[in-house]
Amino acid sequence: IKKQQQDVLGFLEANKIEFEEKDIAANEENRKWMRENVPEDSRPASGNPLPPRLFNDSRYLGDYNAFFEARENNAVYAFLGLTAPPGSKVGETL
């Protein structure tokens, strides 16, 4: 989990994409918010959804696997619901 979180954070920071990190380990409100906002069809069969989970405001985008697939397909900005910066390689494939 930690490696996946670092991977997402590293990508966002390297591409200067603004984000807010919510710690669900130390904050019960954040944990409750995540559980309530992950759609039923994206939850594990048993237990609670595990991080990292990505949202744009309160709109659920997906888990690490969805992020990784978008990154591999040069579609991260579309996945995040953002407009790619002009001239970015990522923007060319959208």
Side-chain angles (χ1 to χ4, degrees), residues 69-82:
E69 185 175 317
R71 191 176 69 188
E72 290 295 303
N73 292 321
N74 289 327
V76 174
Y77 286 94
F79 170 76
L80 296 173
L82 303 173

Side-chain angles (χ1 to χ4, degrees), residues 12-56:
L12 296 174
E13 290 169 351
N15 288 283
K16 296 179 175 57
I17 298 171
E18 289 185 35
F19 64 93
E20 177 185 350
E21 183 179 4
K22 293 193 176 204
D23 185 350
I24 65 165
N27 186 310
E28 181 59 36
E29 283 297 312
N30 289 341
R31 189 171 26 250
K32 182 180 176 193
W33 185 90
M34 186 182 83
R35 285 187 201 134
E36 291 172 353
N37 287 284
V38 171
E40 195 69 39
D41 62 344
S42 296
R43 296 179 185 176
S46 63
N48 292 312
L50 297 174
R53 299 289 171 143
L54 291 96
F55 296 85
N56 187 333

